[in-house]
Amino acid sequence: MGALALSMAGLVSVGAASGTGPVADAAPAAHAAPLAADPAASAASDVIDEPIVIDTGHVDAIAPRMVDGEFRTLFKDSRTTDVVWREPRSVIMHLSTAGELTIPEAGYDFLGAPGDVIYMIPQTQNPEVLWAGWSTEAFRDADIQGTFELSLNTLEGPGQLLMFDWDMFGQAVMKFDSTDGVGDTYPVAAQTHEHSN
C-alpha cells in the first residue's frame, strides 16, 4: 500500500475573479478573490470532511475552486449526478484487484517485464475500477494568469508511479515517472477535465 501526493497550484487573477479588471501584481492563489456569483465557488460548509474509501466510479482527485473567497484544492466526487466536494485528506482512493494488469509481451515494456502484474487506473473509464482524474473546470482562462501546475511531490510505499497517455501512434506520453525520482510538474490549463493511465 502506498501514498501519493499530487498538488495543484496556480495564480488566480484577483481582478478577473472579482470583476474589477486586471491587477498588475496578482496575488498567489491562496489570496485570490472569490468568483462572484459563480456556481463553481462554494462555502466551506459545502465541503465534506467525513472519511470515505472510494474504489469505483468517476472522481476528480484534484479539483481547485474558490471556497469562501479562498483558493482550495478539493476532491470532486462525481460518482452520482449530485456532485460532492470533499476534503482530500478525508478520502482514501482504493485501487482494487479489478485494476490489476498483467504486462503483455509487447507495448508495455516501460512498465515492467512481460508477465509482471501492475495496478492501473485506465485513461478511459472501466466501471469496475476507480476512475480518477483532475479538473480545473471551476476557472476560466480570464480567472488565472498562466496555467495551473500538477506536481508529483511525494510517493511512499512499495513500487513506482507512472502517469501517461497514449498518443495517436500507440506510444506512451509520460506525465509523471517516479522511477527517476519525484518533482515532476505537468501544466494544466483552465477549463480542463482530464484522465490518464
Side-chain angles (χ1 to χ4, degrees), residues 43-138:
S45 60
D46 298 332
V47 180
I48 297 174
D49 198 15
E50 181 179 311
I52 187 170
V53 176
I54 299 175
D55 56 10
T56 59
H58 175 260
V59 298
D60 290 315
I62 300 169
R65 74 186 311 205
M66 301 303 291
V67 178
D68 287 339
E70 179 184 354
F71 179 88
R72 300 273 307 278
T73 300
L74 298 175
F75 186 99
K76 184 178 179 183
D77 183 350
S78 306
R79 294 174 299 146
T80 66
T81 53
D82 295 325
V83 172
V84 176
W85 294 91
R86 299 183 183 279
E87 287 289 350
R89 70 176 177 269
S90 71
V91 180
I92 294 175
M93 293 189 298
H94 177 227
L95 185 53
S96 69
T97 56
E100 282 185 4
L101 172 71
T102 300
I103 298 177
E105 290 295 321
Y108 288 80
D109 54 330
F110 64 97
L111 295 175
D116 285 353
V117 175
I118 62 168
Y119 289 82
M120 184 183 297
I121 294 175
Q123 186 173 346
T124 54
Q125 188 168 15
N126 172 348
E128 296 179 8
V129 180
L130 174 68
W131 195 41
W134 57 94
S135 168
T136 59
E137 293 171 297

Coordinates of all heavy atoms in Angstrom, one line a residue, residues 43-138:
A43 N -19.2 27.6 -0.3 CA -18.9 27.9 1.1 C -18.2 26.7 1.7 O -18.4 25.5 1.3 CB -20.2 28.2 1.8
A44 N -17.5 26.9 2.7 CA -16.8 25.8 3.4 C -17.8 24.8 3.9 O -17.4 23.6 4.0 CB -16.0 26.4 4.6
S45 N -19.0 25.2 4.3 CA -20.0 24.2 4.7 C -20.4 23.2 3.7 O -21.0 22.2 4.0 CB -21.2 25.0 5.3 OG -21.8 25.8 4.2
D46 N -20.1 23.5 2.4 CA -20.4 22.6 1.3 C -19.3 21.5 1.1 O -19.5 20.6 0.3 CB -20.5 23.4 0.0 CG -21.6 24.4 0.0 OD1 -22.6 24.2 0.7 OD2 -21.5 25.4 -0.8
V47 N -18.2 21.6 1.8 CA -17.1 20.7 1.7 C -17.2 19.7 2.8 O -17.1 20.0 4.0 CB -15.7 21.4 1.7 CG1 -14.6 20.5 1.6 CG2 -15.7 22.5 0.6
I48 N -17.3 18.4 2.4 CA -17.4 17.3 3.3 C -16.1 16.8 3.8 O -15.2 16.6 3.0 CB -18.3 16.1 2.7 CG1 -19.7 16.6 2.4 CG2 -18.3 14.9 3.6 CD1 -20.5 15.7 1.6
D49 N -16.0 16.6 5.1 CA -14.7 16.1 5.7 C -14.8 14.8 6.3 O -14.0 14.3 7.1 CB -14.3 17.2 6.8 CG -12.8 17.1 7.2 OD1 -12.1 16.4 6.4 OD2 -12.5 17.6 8.2
E50 N -15.9 14.0 6.1 CA -16.2 12.7 6.6 C -15.3 11.7 5.9 O -15.3 11.6 4.7 CB -17.7 12.4 6.4 CG -18.1 11.1 7.0 CD -19.6 10.9 6.8 OE1 -20.4 11.8 7.1 OE2 -20.0 9.8 6.2
P51 N -14.6 10.8 6.6 CA -13.7 9.8 6.0 C -14.5 8.9 5.1 O -15.6 8.5 5.4 CB -13.1 9.1 7.2 CG -13.2 10.0 8.3 CD -14.5 10.8 8.1
I52 N -13.9 8.5 3.9 CA -14.6 7.7 3.0 C -13.5 6.9 2.2 O -12.4 7.4 1.9 CB -15.5 8.5 2.0 CG1 -16.3 7.5 1.1 CG2 -14.7 9.5 1.2 CD1 -17.5 8.2 0.4
V53 N -13.8 5.7 1.8 CA -13.0 4.9 0.9 C -13.8 4.8 -0.4 O -14.9 4.4 -0.4 CB -12.7 3.5 1.5 CG1 -11.9 2.7 0.4 CG2 -11.9 3.6 2.8
I54 N -13.1 5.1 -1.5 CA -13.7 5.1 -2.8 C -12.9 4.1 -3.7 O -11.7 4.3 -3.9 CB -13.8 6.5 -3.5 CG1 -14.6 7.4 -2.6 CG2 -14.4 6.4 -4.9 CD1 -14.7 8.9 -3.1
D55 N -13.6 3.1 -4.3 CA -12.9 2.2 -5.1 C -13.5 2.0 -6.5 O -12.9 1.2 -7.3 CB -12.8 0.8 -4.4 CG -14.1 0.2 -4.0 OD1 -15.2 0.7 -4.4 OD2 -14.1 -0.8 -3.3
T56 N -14.6 2.6 -6.8 CA -15.1 2.6 -8.2 C -15.7 4.0 -8.5 O -16.0 4.7 -7.6 CB -16.2 1.5 -8.4 OG1 -17.3 1.8 -7.5 CG2 -15.7 0.1 -8.2
G57 N -15.9 4.2 -9.8 CA -16.7 5.4 -10.2 C -15.8 6.6 -10.5 O -14.5 6.5 -10.3
H58 N -16.4 7.6 -11.1 CA -15.7 8.8 -11.5 C -15.4 9.8 -10.4 O -16.4 10.2 -9.7 CB -16.4 9.5 -12.7 CG -15.8 10.8 -13.1 ND1 -16.3 12.0 -12.7 CD2 -14.7 11.0 -13.9 CE1 -15.5 12.9 -13.2 NE2 -14.6 12.4 -13.9
V59 N -14.2 10.2 -10.2 CA -13.8 11.3 -9.3 C -12.8 12.1 -10.0 O -12.0 11.7 -10.9 CB -13.3 10.7 -8.0 CG1 -14.4 9.9 -7.3 CG2 -12.0 9.9 -8.2
D60 N -12.7 13.4 -9.5 CA -11.6 14.2 -9.9 C -10.8 14.4 -8.6 O -11.2 15.2 -7.7 CB -12.0 15.5 -10.5 CG -12.6 15.3 -11.9 OD1 -12.0 14.6 -12.7 OD2 -13.7 15.9 -12.2
A61 N -9.7 13.7 -8.5 CA -8.9 13.7 -7.2 C -8.3 15.1 -6.9 O -8.1 15.4 -5.8 CB -7.9 12.6 -7.3
I62 N -8.1 15.9 -7.9 CA -7.6 17.2 -7.8 C -8.5 18.2 -8.5 O -8.6 18.1 -9.7 CB -6.2 17.3 -8.3 CG1 -5.3 16.3 -7.6 CG2 -5.6 18.7 -8.2 CD1 -3.9 16.1 -8.2
A63 N -9.2 19.0 -7.8 CA -10.1 19.9 -8.4 C -10.1 21.3 -7.6 O -10.8 21.4 -6.6 CB -11.5 19.3 -8.3
P64 N -9.3 22.2 -8.1 CA -9.3 23.5 -7.4 C -10.6 24.3 -7.6 O -11.2 24.2 -8.7 CB -8.1 24.2 -8.0 CG -8.0 23.6 -9.3 CD -8.4 22.2 -9.2
R65 N -10.9 25.1 -6.6 CA -12.1 26.0 -6.7 C -12.0 27.0 -5.6 O -11.2 26.9 -4.6 CB -13.4 25.3 -6.7 CG -13.8 24.7 -5.4 CD -15.1 23.9 -5.4 NE -16.2 24.5 -6.1 CZ -17.4 24.2 -5.9 NH1 -17.8 23.3 -5.0 NH2 -18.4 24.8 -6.6
M66 N -12.8 28.0 -5.6 CA -12.8 29.1 -4.6 C -13.8 28.6 -3.5 O -14.9 28.2 -3.8 CB -13.2 30.4 -5.2 CG -12.3 30.9 -6.3 SD -10.6 31.1 -5.8 CE -10.7 32.5 -4.7
V67 N -13.4 28.7 -2.2 CA -14.2 28.4 -1.1 C -14.2 29.5 -0.1 O -13.1 29.8 0.4 CB -13.8 27.0 -0.4 CG1 -14.7 26.7 0.8 CG2 -13.8 25.9 -1.4
D68 N -15.3 30.2 0.1 CA -15.3 31.3 1.0 C -14.2 32.3 0.6 O -13.5 32.9 1.5 CB -15.2 30.9 2.4 CG -16.5 30.3 3.0 OD1 -17.6 30.5 2.3 OD2 -16.4 29.5 4.0
G69 N -14.0 32.6 -0.7 CA -13.0 33.5 -1.1 C -11.6 33.1 -1.1 O -10.7 33.8 -1.3
E70 N -11.4 31.8 -0.8 CA -10.0 31.3 -0.7 C -9.8 30.2 -1.7 O -10.7 29.3 -1.9 CB -9.8 30.7 0.7 CG -8.4 30.0 0.9 CD -8.3 29.3 2.3 OE1 -9.2 29.5 3.1 OE2 -7.3 28.7 2.5
F71 N -8.6 30.2 -2.4 CA -8.3 29.1 -3.3 C -8.0 27.8 -2.6 O -7.2 27.8 -1.7 CB -7.0 29.6 -4.1 CG -6.6 28.6 -5.1 CD1 -7.1 28.6 -6.4 CD2 -5.7 27.6 -4.8 CE1 -6.7 27.7 -7.4 CE2 -5.3 26.6 -5.7 CZ -5.8 26.7 -7.0
R72 N -8.8 26.8 -3.0 CA -8.6 25.5 -2.3 C -8.5 24.4 -3.4 O -9.1 24.5 -4.4 CB -9.8 25.2 -1.5 CG -10.1 26.2 -0.3 CD -9.4 25.8 0.9 NE -9.6 24.5 1.4 CZ -10.6 24.0 2.1 NH1 -11.6 24.9 2.4 NH2 -10.7 22.8 2.4
T73 N -7.7 23.4 -3.1 CA -7.7 22.2 -3.9 C -8.5 21.1 -3.2 O -8.2 20.7 -2.1 CB -6.2 21.7 -4.1 OG1 -5.5 22.7 -4.7 CG2 -6.2 20.5 -5.0
L74 N -9.6 20.7 -3.9 CA -10.5 19.8 -3.2 C -10.6 18.5 -4.0 O -10.0 18.3 -5.1 CB -11.9 20.4 -3.2 CG -12.0 21.7 -2.3 CD1 -13.4 22.3 -2.4 CD2 -11.7 21.4 -0.9
F75 N -11.4 17.6 -3.5 CA -11.6 16.3 -4.2 C -13.1 16.3 -4.7 O -14.0 16.5 -3.9 CB -11.4 15.2 -3.2 CG -11.6 13.8 -3.7 CD1 -10.4 13.1 -4.0 CD2 -12.8 13.2 -3.9 CE1 -10.5 11.8 -4.5 CE2 -12.9 11.9 -4.4 CZ -11.7 11.2 -4.7
K76 N -13.3 16.2 -6.0 CA -14.6 16.3 -6.6 C -15.1 14.9 -6.8 O -14.6 14.1 -7.7 CB -14.5 17.1 -7.9 CG -15.9 17.3 -8.6 CD -15.7 18.1 -9.8 CE -17.0 18.3 -10.5 NZ -16.8 19.1 -11.8
D77 N -16.1 14.5 -6.1 CA -16.7 13.2 -6.1 C -18.0 13.2 -7.0 O -19.0 13.7 -6.7 CB -17.1 12.7 -4.7 CG -17.7 11.3 -4.6 OD1 -17.9 10.7 -5.7 OD2 -17.8 10.8 -3.5
S78 N -17.8 12.7 -8.3 CA -18.9 12.8 -9.3 C -19.5 11.4 -9.5 O -19.9 11.1 -10.7 CB -18.3 13.3 -10.6 OG -17.7 14.5 -10.4
R79 N -19.5 10.5 -8.5 CA -20.0 9.2 -8.7 C -21.5 9.1 -8.9 O -22.0 8.2 -9.4 CB -19.5 8.3 -7.6 CG -18.0 8.1 -7.5 CD -17.6 7.3 -6.3 NE -18.0 8.0 -5.1 CZ -18.3 7.4 -4.0 NH1 -18.4 6.1 -3.9 NH2 -18.6 8.1 -2.9
T80 N -22.2 10.2 -8.5 CA -23.6 10.3 -8.8 C -23.9 11.7 -9.4 O -22.9 12.5 -9.6 CB -24.4 10.3 -7.4 OG1 -24.1 11.4 -6.7 CG2 -24.1 9.0 -6.7
T81 N -25.1 11.9 -9.8 CA -25.4 13.2 -10.5 C -25.3 14.4 -9.5 O -25.1 15.5 -10.0 CB -26.8 13.2 -11.1 OG1 -27.7 12.8 -10.1 CG2 -26.9 12.2 -12.3
D82 N -25.4 14.1 -8.2 CA -25.2 15.2 -7.2 C -23.7 15.2 -6.8 O -23.3 14.3 -6.0 CB -26.0 14.9 -6.0 CG -27.5 15.0 -6.3 OD1 -27.9 15.8 -7.2 OD2 -28.3 14.2 -5.7
V83 N -22.9 16.1 -7.4 CA -21.5 16.2 -7.1 C -21.3 16.5 -5.7 O -22.0 17.4 -5.1 CB -20.8 17.2 -8.0 CG1 -19.4 17.5 -7.6 CG2 -20.9 16.8 -9.5
V84 N -20.3 15.9 -5.1 CA -19.9 16.1 -3.7 C -18.5 16.6 -3.6 O -17.6 16.0 -4.2 CB -20.1 14.9 -2.8 CG1 -19.6 15.1 -1.4 CG2 -21.5 14.4 -2.8
W85 N -18.3 17.7 -2.9 CA -16.9 18.2 -2.8 C -16.4 17.8 -1.4 O -17.0 17.9 -0.4 CB -16.9 19.8 -2.9 CG -17.3 20.2 -4.2 CD1 -18.6 20.5 -4.7 CD2 -16.4 20.5 -5.3 NE1 -18.5 20.9 -6.0 CE2 -17.2 20.9 -6.4 CE3 -15.1 20.3 -5.5 CZ2 -16.7 21.2 -7.6 CZ3 -14.5 20.6 -6.7 CH2 -15.3 21.1 -7.8
R86 N -15.2 17.2 -1.5 CA -14.6 16.6 -0.2 C -13.2 17.2 0.0 O -12.5 17.6 -0.8 CB -14.5 15.1 -0.4 CG -15.8 14.4 -0.7 CD -15.6 12.8 -0.7 NE -16.9 12.2 -1.0 CZ -17.8 11.9 -0.2 NH1 -17.7 12.2 1.1 NH2 -18.9 11.3 -0.5
E87 N -12.9 17.1 1.4 CA -11.5 17.4 1.8 C -10.6 16.3 1.3 O -10.9 15.1 1.6 CB -11.4 17.6 3.3 CG -12.0 18.8 3.8 CD -11.2 20.1 3.5 OE1 -10.1 20.0 3.0 OE2 -11.8 21.2 3.8
P88 N -9.6 16.6 0.6 CA -8.7 15.5 0.0 C -8.2 14.6 1.1 O -8.1 13.3 0.9 CB -7.6 16.2 -0.6 CG -8.1 17.5 -1.0 CD -9.1 17.9 0.1
R89 N -7.9 15.1 2.3 CA -7.3 14.3 3.4 C -8.4 13.3 3.9 O -8.0 12.3 4.6 CB -6.8 15.1 4.5 CG -7.9 15.8 5.3 CD -7.3 16.6 6.5 NE -8.4 17.4 7.1 CZ -8.8 18.6 6.8 NH1 -8.2 19.3 5.9 NH2 -9.8 19.2 7.5
S90 N -9.6 13.5 3.6 CA -10.7 12.6 4.1 C -11.0 11.4 3.2 O -11.7 10.5 3.5 CB -12.0 13.3 4.4 OG -12.6 13.7 3.1
V91 N -10.3 11.4 2.0 CA -10.6 10.3 1.0 C -9.4 9.4 0.9 O -8.3 9.8 0.7 CB -10.9 11.0 -0.4 CG1 -11.2 9.9 -1.4 CG2 -12.0 12.0 -0.2
I92 N -9.8 8.1 0.9 CA -8.8 7.0 0.5 C -9.3 6.5 -0.8 O -10.4 6.0 -0.9 CB -8.7 5.9 1.5 CG1 -8.2 6.4 2.8 CG2 -7.9 4.7 1.0 CD1 -8.1 5.4 4.0
M93 N -8.5 6.6 -1.9 CA -8.8 6.0 -3.2 C -8.2 4.6 -3.2 O -7.0 4.5 -3.0 CB -8.2 6.9 -4.3 CG -8.8 8.2 -4.4 SD -8.3 9.1 -5.9 CE -6.6 9.3 -5.6
H94 N -9.0 3.6 -3.4 CA -8.6 2.2 -3.3 C -8.6 1.6 -4.7 O -9.7 1.5 -5.3 CB -9.5 1.5 -2.4 CG -9.2 0.0 -2.3 ND1 -10.2 -1.0 -2.4 CD2 -8.0 -0.7 -2.1 CE1 -9.6 -2.2 -2.3 NE2 -8.3 -2.0 -2.2
L95 N -7.4 1.3 -5.2 CA -7.3 0.7 -6.5 C -7.4 -0.8 -6.2 O -6.4 -1.4 -5.8 CB -6.1 1.1 -7.2 CG -5.9 0.5 -8.6 CD1 -7.1 0.8 -9.5 CD2 -4.6 1.1 -9.3
S96 N -8.5 -1.5 -6.5 CA -8.7 -2.9 -6.1 C -8.1 -3.8 -7.1 O -7.5 -3.4 -8.1 CB -10.2 -3.2 -6.0 OG -10.8 -3.1 -7.3
T97 N -8.2 -5.1 -6.9 CA -7.7 -6.1 -7.8 C -8.3 -6.0 -9.2 O -7.8 -6.5 -10.2 CB -7.9 -7.5 -7.3 OG1 -9.3 -7.7 -7.0 CG2 -7.1 -7.7 -6.0
A98 N -9.5 -5.3 -9.3 CA -10.1 -5.0 -10.7 C -9.1 -4.2 -11.5 O -9.3 -4.2 -12.7 CB -11.4 -4.4 -10.5
G99 N -8.2 -3.5 -10.9 CA -7.2 -2.7 -11.6 C -5.9 -3.4 -12.0 O -5.0 -2.8 -12.5
E100 N -5.9 -4.7 -11.7 CA -4.7 -5.5 -12.0 C -4.5 -5.6 -13.5 O -5.5 -5.8 -14.2 CB -4.8 -6.9 -11.4 CG -4.5 -6.9 -9.9 CD -4.4 -8.4 -9.4 OE1 -4.5 -9.3 -10.2 OE2 -4.2 -8.5 -8.2
L101 N -3.3 -5.5 -14.0 CA -3.0 -5.7 -15.4 C -1.7 -6.5 -15.4 O -0.7 -6.2 -14.8 CB -2.8 -4.4 -16.1 CG -2.2 -4.4 -17.5 CD1 -3.3 -4.9 -18.5 CD2 -1.8 -3.0 -18.0
T102 N -1.7 -7.6 -16.2 CA -0.5 -8.4 -16.4 C 0.1 -7.8 -17.7 O -0.5 -7.7 -18.7 CB -0.9 -9.9 -16.6 OG1 -1.5 -10.4 -15.4 CG2 0.4 -10.7 -16.9
I103 N 1.4 -7.4 -17.5 CA 2.1 -6.8 -18.7 C 2.2 -7.8 -19.8 O 2.7 -8.9 -19.7 CB 3.4 -6.3 -18.2 CG1 3.2 -5.2 -17.1 CG2 4.2 -5.7 -19.4 CD1 4.5 -4.6 -16.6
P104 N 1.7 -7.4 -21.0 CA 1.8 -8.3 -22.2 C 3.2 -8.3 -22.8 O 4.1 -7.6 -22.3 CB 0.8 -7.7 -23.2 CG 0.6 -6.3 -22.8 CD 0.9 -6.2 -21.3
E105 N 3.4 -9.1 -23.8 CA 4.7 -9.3 -24.4 C 5.2 -8.0 -25.1 O 6.4 -7.8 -25.1 CB 4.6 -10.4 -25.4 CG 4.5 -11.8 -24.8 CD 5.7 -12.2 -24.0 OE1 6.8 -11.9 -24.4 OE2 5.5 -12.9 -23.0
A106 N 4.3 -7.2 -25.6 CA 4.8 -6.0 -26.4 C 3.9 -4.8 -26.0 O 2.8 -4.9 -25.6 CB 4.7 -6.3 -27.9
G107 N 4.6 -3.6 -26.1 CA 3.9 -2.4 -26.0 C 3.8 -1.8 -24.6 O 3.5 -0.6 -24.4
Y108 N 4.2 -2.6 -23.6 CA 4.1 -2.1 -22.2 C 5.4 -2.2 -21.5 O 5.5 -2.2 -20.2 CB 3.0 -2.8 -21.4 CG 1.6 -2.4 -21.7 CD1 1.0 -3.0 -22.8 CD2 0.9 -1.5 -21.0 CE1 -0.3 -2.7 -23.2 CE2 -0.4 -1.2 -21.3 CZ -1.0 -1.8 -22.4 OH -2.3 -1.5 -22.7
D109 N 6.5 -2.4 -22.2 CA 7.8 -2.8 -21.6 C 8.3 -1.6 -20.7 O 9.1 -1.9 -19.8 CB 8.8 -3.1 -22.7 CG 9.0 -2.0 -23.7 OD1 8.0 -1.3 -24.0 OD2 10.1 -1.9 -24.3
F110 N 7.8 -0.4 -20.9 CA 8.2 0.7 -20.0 C 7.6 0.5 -18.6 O 8.1 1.2 -17.7 CB 7.8 2.0 -20.6 CG 6.4 2.3 -20.8 CD1 5.6 3.0 -19.8 CD2 5.7 1.7 -21.9 CE1 4.3 3.1 -20.0 CE2 4.3 1.9 -22.0 CZ 3.6 2.6 -21.1
L111 N 6.6 -0.3 -18.4 CA 6.0 -0.6 -17.1 C 6.6 -1.7 -16.4 O 6.4 -1.9 -15.2 CB 4.5 -0.8 -17.3 CG 3.7 0.3 -17.9 CD1 2.2 -0.1 -18.1 CD2 3.7 1.5 -17.0
G112 N 7.4 -2.6 -17.1 CA 8.0 -3.7 -16.4 C 8.2 -4.8 -17.4 O 7.9 -4.7 -18.6
A113 N 8.5 -6.0 -16.9 CA 8.7 -7.2 -17.7 C 7.4 -7.9 -18.0 O 6.5 -7.8 -17.3 CB 9.7 -8.1 -17.0
P114 N 7.3 -8.5 -19.2 CA 6.1 -9.3 -19.6 C 5.8 -10.3 -18.5 O 6.7 -10.9 -18.0 CB 6.5 -9.9 -20.9 CG 7.6 -9.0 -21.5 CD 8.3 -8.5 -20.3
G115 N 4.6 -10.3 -18.1 CA 4.2 -11.2 -17.0 C 4.1 -10.6 -15.7 O 3.4 -11.1 -14.8
D116 N 4.8 -9.4 -15.5 CA 4.6 -8.7 -14.2 C 3.2 -8.2 -14.0 O 2.5 -7.9 -15.0 CB 5.6 -7.5 -14.2 CG 7.0 -7.8 -14.0 OD1 7.3 -9.0 -13.7 OD2 7.9 -6.9 -14.1
V117 N 2.7 -8.1 -12.8 CA 1.4 -7.6 -12.5 C 1.6 -6.2 -12.0 O 2.3 -5.9 -11.0 CB 0.7 -8.5 -11.5 CG1 -0.7 -7.9 -11.1 CG2 0.5 -9.9 -12.1
I118 N 0.8 -5.3 -12.6 CA 0.8 -3.9 -12.1 C -0.7 -3.5 -11.8 O -1.6 -4.3 -12.1 CB 1.4 -2.9 -13.1 CG1 0.5 -2.9 -14.4 CG2 2.8 -3.2 -13.4 CD1 0.9 -1.8 -15.4
Y119 N -0.9 -2.4 -11.2 CA -2.2 -1.9 -10.9 C -2.4 -0.6 -11.7 O -1.5 0.3 -11.7 CB -2.4 -1.6 -9.4 CG -2.5 -2.9 -8.6 CD1 -1.4 -3.5 -8.3 CD2 -3.8 -3.4 -8.3 CE1 -1.5 -4.7 -7.5 CE2 -3.9 -4.6 -7.6 CZ -2.7 -5.2 -7.2 OH -2.8 -6.4 -6.5
M120 N -3.5 -0.5 -12.5 CA -3.6 0.7 -13.4 C -5.1 1.3 -13.3 O -6.0 0.5 -13.3 CB -3.4 0.3 -14.8 CG -3.4 1.5 -15.7 SD -3.2 1.2 -17.5 CE -1.5 0.6 -17.5
I121 N -5.1 2.6 -13.1 CA -6.4 3.3 -13.4 C -6.3 3.7 -14.9 O -5.4 4.4 -15.3 CB -6.4 4.6 -12.5 CG1 -6.5 4.2 -11.0 CG2 -7.6 5.4 -12.9 CD1 -6.4 5.4 -10.1
P122 N -7.3 3.2 -15.7 CA -7.2 3.5 -17.1 C -7.6 4.9 -17.5 O -8.3 5.6 -16.7 CB -8.2 2.5 -17.7 CG -9.2 2.3 -16.6 CD -8.4 2.4 -15.3
Q123 N -7.1 5.3 -18.6 CA -7.4 6.6 -19.2 C -8.9 6.7 -19.6 O -9.5 7.8 -19.5 CB -6.5 6.9 -20.4 CG -6.7 8.3 -21.0 CD -5.6 8.6 -22.0 OE1 -4.7 7.8 -22.2 NE2 -5.8 9.6 -22.8
T124 N -9.4 5.6 -20.0 CA -10.9 5.5 -20.3 C -11.6 4.7 -19.3 O -11.0 3.8 -18.7 CB -11.1 4.9 -21.7 OG1 -10.5 3.6 -21.8 CG2 -10.6 5.8 -22.8
Q125 N -12.8 5.1 -19.0 CA -13.5 4.5 -17.8 C -13.8 3.0 -17.9 O -14.3 2.6 -19.0 CB -14.8 5.3 -17.6 CG -15.4 4.9 -16.2 CD -16.5 5.8 -15.8 OE1 -17.0 6.6 -16.6 NE2 -17.0 5.7 -14.6
N126 N -13.5 2.3 -16.9 CA -13.9 0.9 -16.7 C -14.7 1.0 -15.4 O -14.3 1.3 -14.3 CB -12.6 0.1 -16.5 CG -13.0 -1.3 -16.0 OD1 -14.1 -1.7 -15.7 ND2 -12.0 -2.2 -16.0
P127 N -16.0 0.6 -15.5 CA -16.9 0.8 -14.3 C -16.5 0.0 -13.1 O -17.0 0.2 -12.0 CB -18.3 0.3 -14.9 CG -18.0 -0.4 -16.1 CD -16.7 0.1 -16.7
E128 N -15.6 -1.0 -13.3 CA -15.2 -1.8 -12.1 C -14.0 -1.2 -11.4 O -13.6 -1.8 -10.4 CB -14.8 -3.2 -12.6 CG -16.0 -4.0 -13.2 CD -15.7 -5.4 -13.7 OE1 -14.5 -5.8 -13.5 OE2 -16.5 -6.0 -14.3
V129 N -13.4 -0.2 -12.0 CA -12.2 0.4 -11.4 C -12.4 1.9 -11.1 O -13.1 2.6 -11.8 CB -11.0 0.2 -12.5 CG1 -9.7 0.8 -11.9 CG2 -10.8 -1.2 -12.8
L130 N -11.8 2.3 -10.0 CA -11.7 3.7 -9.7 C -11.3 4.5 -10.9 O -10.2 4.1 -11.6 CB -10.8 4.0 -8.5 CG -10.5 5.4 -8.1 CD1 -11.8 6.0 -7.6 CD2 -9.4 5.5 -7.1
W131 N -12.0 5.6 -11.3 CA -11.6 6.4 -12.5 C -11.3 7.8 -12.0 O -12.2 8.6 -11.9 CB -12.7 6.4 -13.5 CG -12.2 6.8 -14.9 CD1 -11.0 6.6 -15.5 CD2 -13.0 7.7 -15.8 NE1 -11.0 7.2 -16.7 CE2 -12.2 7.8 -16.9 CE3 -14.2 8.2 -15.7 CZ2 -12.6 8.6 -18.0 CZ3 -14.6 9.0 -16.8 CH2 -13.8 9.2 -18.0
A132 N -10.0 8.0 -11.6 CA -9.6 9.3 -11.0 C -8.9 10.2 -12.0 O -8.0 9.7 -12.7 CB -8.7 9.0 -9.8
G133 N -9.4 11.4 -12.1 CA -8.8 12.4 -13.0 C -8.6 13.7 -12.2 O -8.5 13.7 -11.0
W134 N -8.5 14.8 -12.9 CA -8.4 16.1 -12.3 C -9.2 17.1 -13.2 O -9.5 16.9 -14.3 CB -6.9 16.5 -12.2 CG -6.1 16.5 -13.5 CD1 -5.9 17.6 -14.3 CD2 -5.5 15.4 -14.1 NE1 -5.1 17.2 -15.4 CE2 -4.9 15.9 -15.3 CE3 -5.3 14.1 -13.7 CZ2 -4.1 15.1 -16.1 CZ3 -4.6 13.3 -14.6 CH2 -4.0 13.7 -15.7
S135 N -9.5 18.2 -12.5 CA -10.4 19.2 -13.2 C -10.0 20.6 -12.7 O -9.8 20.9 -11.5 CB -11.8 18.9 -12.8 OG -12.7 20.0 -13.2
T136 N -9.9 21.5 -13.7 CA -9.8 22.9 -13.4 C -11.0 23.7 -14.0 O -10.9 24.8 -14.4 CB -8.5 23.5 -14.0 OG1 -8.4 23.3 -15.4 CG2 -7.2 22.9 -13.3
E137 N -12.1 22.9 -14.2 CA -13.3 23.5 -14.8 C -13.9 24.6 -14.0 O -14.7 25.4 -14.6 CB -14.3 22.4 -15.0 CG -13.8 21.3 -16.0 CD -14.7 20.1 -16.1 OE1 -14.9 19.4 -15.0 OE2 -15.3 19.9 -17.1
A138 N -13.5 24.8 -12.8 CA -14.1 25.9 -12.0 C -13.5 27.3 -12.4 O -14.0 28.3 -11.9 CB -13.9 25.6 -10.5

